[in-house]
């Protein structure tokens, strides 16, 4: 039997070794992999030096190799063995220095002595190596040979975009990032789940909305995109979700938009309430991903986040411990199911109005049992009559679902039956 969780996990394993950063071959390799799954993906490029609001697209970075040779000849912090060993965007160097000088360029986490931290220096030229604290404490006095074969040059920043047309130009946005090296939950779970969601959306019949799915370098990618497309986004975007940290099996998380009351917020809270065992709510004050850009003053787009463990809250975050053992097929599938449920609810989230005064005669339409039997299960009928009782032309699907204590998803089959029986109308 087909298992979407297993499929997503296999894709994560394929992408895990790639060294991604804001720019470079790792991003292009990742986008090309996704394009083989989603041929609709268009890869865009933005030249270094391009101005986007208050930001400038940085130079492109490439890395061939990096390592340290210890006084005893041992090779330490070998980039080829773990791409987290090298500070992202490190400048080239080939020199010898004593341990005291080298220590100024080393990064470790005393509280996680077996973890290699993830460190970058995108906008100020620097170099450095990351290692476990156990390794760092074992270093001996002497001269160390530092080798970083890298380059910073005028190139391009790449991002990917998938557009799945719907009946209208009104849009739903999914945005995820492809700019971190080998980390599984913080990096790969987002694009992996977003790719699977795009496949599911493509298979949906009679889509109301157009879906725009972005695979961006975090922060600078979203800023560049918004700078280019803000007018269109303001005109057409109805709801959007940042898809990140969606691979582990811990509780779910919701981080609100800055406005807190958008359609995205509404459907996120409703879906998590009815389709998860437990979730934690975070305010926009706890922001840390691209909701910072999509919700910023002057942009003000209806975008929030549905996650598993929120970035910055799990101990493995931004370290080598965020590996393929942290995410699971079940964890990926759980997030996929929740986000897909939110999408399905949005598709049906209209204001509905019953077309006849008083309670309609359901029996003659085959919607009510013809025989009265106290042993019969009337829960579906009760759900239908409760929906009709509040379908007064002022409440949308989520409003009614909340009022009658039901999941909006469970009301969709009822809506389809009532529309087919011409008992309700949808108010756009």
């Amino acid at each position: 039997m087909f298992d979407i969780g297993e499929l997503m996990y296999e894709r994560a394993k394929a992408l895990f070794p790639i060294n991604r950063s804001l720019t470079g071959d790792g991003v292009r390799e990742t986008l090309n992999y996704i394009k083989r799954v989603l041929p609709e993906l268009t890869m865009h490029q933005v030249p270094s030096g391009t101005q986007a609001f208050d930001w400038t697209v940085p130079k492109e970075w490439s890395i061939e190799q990096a390592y340290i040779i210890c006084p005893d000849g041992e090779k330490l912090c070998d980039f080829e063995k773990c791409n987290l060993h090298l500070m992202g965007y490190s400048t080239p160097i080939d020199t010898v220095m004593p341990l005291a000088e080298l220590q100024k360029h080393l990064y470790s986490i005393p509280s996680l002595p077996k973890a290699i931290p993830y460190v970058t220096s995108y906008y100020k030229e620097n170099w450095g190596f990351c290692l476990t604290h156990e390794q760092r404490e074992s270093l001996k006095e002497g001269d160390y040979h530092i080798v970083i074969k890298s380059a910073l040059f005028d190139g391009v920043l790449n991002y990917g975009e998938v557009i799945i047309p719907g009946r209208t130009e009104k849009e739903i946005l999914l945005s995820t990032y492809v700019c971190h090296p080998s980390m599984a939950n913080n990096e790969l779970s987002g694009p992996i789940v977003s790719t699977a969601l795009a496949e599911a959306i493509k298979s949906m019949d009679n889509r109301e909305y157009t879906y725009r799915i972005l695979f961006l370098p975090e922060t600078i990618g979203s800023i560049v995109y918004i700078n280019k497309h803000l007018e269109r986004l303001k005109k057409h975007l109805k709801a959007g979700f940042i898809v990140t940290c969606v691979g582990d099996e811990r509780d779910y998380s919701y981080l609100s938009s800055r406005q807190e009351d958008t359609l995205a917020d509404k459907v996120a809270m409703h879906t998590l309430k009815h389709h998860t065992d437990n979730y934690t709510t975070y305010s926009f004050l706890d922001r840390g991903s691209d909701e910072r850009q999509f919700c910023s003053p002057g942009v003000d787009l209806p975008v929030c986040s549905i996650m598993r463990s929120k970035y910055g809250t799990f101990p493995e975050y931004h370290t080598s411990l965020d590996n393929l053992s942290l995410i699971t097929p079940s964890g990926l599938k759980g997030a996929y199911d929740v986000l897909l449920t939110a999408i399905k609810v949005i598709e049906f989230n209209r204001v509905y109005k019953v077309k006849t005064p008083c309670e309609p005669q359901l029996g003659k339409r085959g919607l009510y049992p013809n025989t009265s039997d106290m042993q019969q299960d009337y829960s579906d009928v009760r759900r239908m009559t409760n929906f009709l009782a509040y379908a007064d032309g002022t409440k949308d699907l989520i409003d009614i679902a909340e009022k009658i204590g039901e999941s909006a998803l469970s009301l969709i089959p009822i809506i389809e039956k009532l529309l087919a029986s011409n008992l309700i109308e949808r108010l756009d």
Side-chain angles (χ1 to χ4, degrees):
M1 183 178 178
F2 173 74
D3 189 320
I4 187 65
E6 292 289 349
L7 175 62
M8 288 189 288
Y9 190 79
E10 289 302 312
R11 290 172 176 171
K13 287 199 298 184
L15 289 170
F16 188 78
I18 299 173
N19 181 55
R20 285 165 291 273
S21 188
L22 289 188
T23 62
D25 290 338
V27 176
R28 289 186 282 271
E29 186 179 351
T30 301
L31 293 175
N32 282 325
Y33 180 96
I34 296 169
K35 186 174 178 63
R36 290 194 290 272
V37 180
L38 298 173
E40 301 86 353
L41 184 140
T42 300
M43 192 186 303
H44 301 273
Q45 58 183 39
V46 182
S48 302
T50 299
Q51 193 72 20
F53 299 122
D54 199 37
W55 293 66
T56 303
V57 174
K59 291 183 177 182
E60 186 169 332
W61 182 60
S62 68
I63 172 69
E64 182 181 340
Q65 56 180 271
Y67 54 84
I68 301 171
I69 301 296
C70 300
D72 62 2
E74 178 188 1
K75 183 181 280 190
L76 181 69
C77 295
D78 189 350
F79 172 82
E80 291 186 357
K81 292 185 177 180
C82 176
N83 53 36
L84 291 176
H85 274 311
L86 183 64
M87 172 198 282
Y89 263 61
S90 281
T91 52
I93 189 171
D94 189 337
T95 191
V96 175
M97 64 180 60
L99 178 60
E101 186 67 22
L102 174 60
Q103 288 282 13
K104 300 174 185 178
H105 295 273
L106 296 182
Y107 301 87
S108 63
I109 308 173
S111 61
L112 292 173
K114 296 183 182 297
I116 303 168
Y118 167 61
V119 180
T120 65
S121 183
Y122 294 135
Y123 298 101
K124 183 178 181 180
E125 291 195 0
N126 197 358
W127 65 269
F129 285 91
C130 304
L131 69 171
T132 71
H133 201 65
E134 288 182 349
Q135 288 176 311
R136 189 173 187 176
E137 289 192 313
S138 71
L139 297 179
K140 307 297 184 184
E141 294 296 331
D143 290 333
Y144 288 77
H145 184 192
I146 314 303
V147 177
I148 300 176
K149 295 184 178 181
S150 65
L152 286 165
F153 55 93
D154 287 334
V156 297
L157 176 148
N158 296 105
Y159 68 88
E161 181 177 32
V162 175
I163 300 172
I164 306 172
R167 186 179 67 83
T168 72
E169 292 185 334
K170 294 180 292 185
E171 291 187 4
I172 305 300
L173 173 73
L174 300 177
S175 182
T176 190
Y177 47 80
V178 287
C179 58
H180 294 69
S182 298
M183 288 179 284
N185 196 41
N186 179 61
E187 170 67 3
L188 286 177
S189 66
I192 291 301
V193 170
S194 296
T195 298
L197 287 170
E199 292 177 289
I201 292 165
K202 285 166 56 178
S203 69
M204 290 167 52
D205 295 328
N206 303 315
R207 290 182 300 271
E208 173 77 10
Y209 292 101
T210 292
Y211 288 82
R212 190 172 299 271
I213 302 156
L214 303 178
F215 300 86
L216 307 163
E218 194 174 19
T219 304
I220 186 63
S222 58
I223 290 171
V224 164
Y225 190 87
I226 293 167
N227 182 72
K228 186 175 181 180
H229 299 287
L230 181 56
E231 184 177 348
R232 192 207 68 239
L233 289 167
K234 278 184 168 291
K235 181 177 180 181
H236 295 297
L237 187 63
K238 305 303 291 185
F241 302 98
I242 306 300
V243 185
T244 179
C245 298
V246 283
D248 65 4
E249 291 190 26
R250 295 162 177 154
D251 288 342
Y252 291 84
S253 304
Y254 155 68
L255 189 139
S256 73
S257 70
R258 187 172 64 88
Q259 299 92 328
E260 299 182 350
D261 61 353
T262 70
L263 174 59
D265 295 294
K266 188 174 179 178
V267 73
M269 288 187 289
H270 177 81
T271 302
L272 289 166
K273 174 182 175 181
H274 288 275
H275 296 276
T276 68
D277 293 331
N278 194 33
Y279 70 96
T280 302
T281 297
Y282 295 94
S283 83
F284 194 69
L285 294 172
D286 301 303
R287 66 198 179 279
S289 187
D290 279 339
E291 69 281 340
R292 301 173 358 252
Q293 317 312 330
F294 287 106
C295 298
S296 61
V299 178
D300 300 307
L301 295 170
V303 175
C304 70
S305 299
I306 295 175
M307 300 167 278
R308 303 278 324 213
S309 296
K310 176 185 171 291
Y311 46 79
T313 65
F314 54 97
E316 303 88 351
Y317 177 69
H318 272 197
T319 76
S320 58
L321 301 181
D322 184 359
N323 54 39
L324 290 169
S325 66
L326 180 59
I327 65 171
T328 67
S330 177
L332 292 163
K333 184 178 184 300
Y336 166 88
D337 287 341
V338 167
L339 282 158
L340 186 56
T341 295
I343 288 167
K344 290 177 178 177
V345 170
I346 288 176
E347 281 287 322
F348 276 84
N349 192 54
R350 304 290 183 278
V351 173
Y352 295 94
K353 184 177 181 181
V354 66
K355 297 176 73 172
T356 178
C358 296
E359 191 172 279
Q361 223 287 9
L362 300 178
K364 67 182 182 182
R365 296 175 173 88
L367 300 175
Y368 195 93
N370 290 319
T371 303
S372 176
D373 182 358
M374 294 301 294
Q375 304 304 312
Q376 191 164 336
D377 182 3
Y378 285 89
S379 57
D380 286 344
V381 173
R382 187 64 176 172
R383 192 175 292 115
M384 180 179 290
T385 57
N386 282 344
F387 175 85
L388 286 168
Y390 287 94
D392 59 1
T394 68
K395 300 176 180 63
D396 64 19
L397 169 59
I398 298 175
D399 292 333
I400 296 174
E402 286 293 315
K403 184 66 178 178
I404 66 177
E406 300 283 354
S407 158
L409 188 68
S410 72
L411 296 178
I412 291 175
I414 290 173
I415 290 170
E416 290 176 323
K417 289 179 182 179
L418 293 173
L419 286 169
S421 299
N422 200 31
L423 281 174
I424 60 172
E425 58 184 331
R426 187 176 71 179
L427 306 181
D428 291 322

